[in-house]
Amino acid sequence: EFNTYKNALEAAQKDGKDYTDDCQLVEHIGVECGVVIGAYENIKITTKGGDKGTTSLGNGTRVAKDDRRVELYGTLDECQAALGLARAACISQKTAEDIFFLEDYLFNAMAYFAECDFPEPDPQILENVSSRVAASIQEAQIFVRPGDSSCGAALHLARTIARRAERTATPL
């Protein structure tokens, strides 16, 4: 598959395209991609593609890094990371599963707002699962005072980030 990757890089260069991930890159030459859960150590930190103040949306369109859509899916990414922290600290298996669902749903929402070919997220689904997570926490103090448990603190952080994402999305 190295040749596929190499051919995709060459075609993107020739066509003046700048993609932010490998999937976009090989799709440029007609190779179909899918999401595969990988190892934690295989995390792309930087692509160097946005060094000129722009970045690519999922459809290949270049936009400014301060574009509201980029701000929105970046904020959702922060929220997803806070949820991952909550899940890692969570004692209840059922709550951990609900949090994992939220993480996965946010991934799909990020893809939608990045103008990938994903369905529009349904806020009611997020509300229902979020309510279930909140109800599963035994001590009401967990959300009143964020530092009473690691899981509760991370959920509180995710909630505040989600509120910021909502404020960012409103004008869109």
Side-chain angles (χ1 to χ4, degrees):
E1 305 335 4
F2 174 75
N3 285 333
T4 300
Y5 188 74
K6 182 177 176 244
N7 293 340
L9 279 171
E10 291 169 350
Q13 272 185 326
K14 180 180 149 252
D15 296 339
K17 298 289 185 176
D18 190 11
Y19 294 104
T20 60
D21 65 51
D22 298 339
C23 189
Q24 286 180 317
L25 184 67
V26 296
E27 284 179 341
H28 176 74
I29 62 168
V31 175
E32 188 173 314
C33 278
V35 176
V36 177
I37 296 183
Y40 287 110
E41 59 273 358
N42 187 19
I43 298 173
K44 186 186 288 186
I45 302 298
T46 181
T47 63
K48 303 260 190 239
D51 292 345
K52 295 179 181 129
T54 63
T55 190
S56 292
L57 296 175
N59 62 9
T61 303
R62 298 295 294 178
V63 296
K65 283 195 169 197
D66 63 355
D67 185 279
R68 191 167 285 278
R69 291 167 293 185
V70 176
E71 176 67 27
L72 176 58
Y73 64 74
T75 303
L76 292 173
D77 191 23
E78 284 180 60
C79 186
Q80 185 186 45
L83 286 170
L85 185 62
R87 185 170 48 85
C90 190
I91 297 169
S92 163
Q93 180 62 33
K94 177 61 181 142
T95 301
E97 289 170 8
D98 284 339
I99 293 170
F100 184 83
F101 175 85
L102 289 171
E103 289 176 85
D104 195 49
Y105 202 80
L106 284 180
F107 176 84
N108 292 336
M110 285 184 280
Y112 171 79
F113 289 114
E115 298 192 12
C116 297
D117 190 21
F118 275 71
E120 184 173 358
D122 181 354
Q124 191 58 51
I125 292 172
L126 291 174
E127 288 290 329
N128 292 344
V129 177
S130 295
S131 296
R132 195 166 62 231
V133 168
S136 73
I137 297 172
Q138 300 297 322
E139 298 171 272
Q141 289 182 336
I142 286 177
F143 272 127
V144 174
R145 197 171 316 116
D148 288 345
S149 76
S150 296
C151 180
L155 285 171
H156 194 72
L157 178 62
R159 181 190 63 77
T160 62
I161 295 169
R163 293 261 173 101
R164 181 164 28 100
E166 183 180 27
R167 292 188 301 272
T168 303
T170 299
L172 295 175

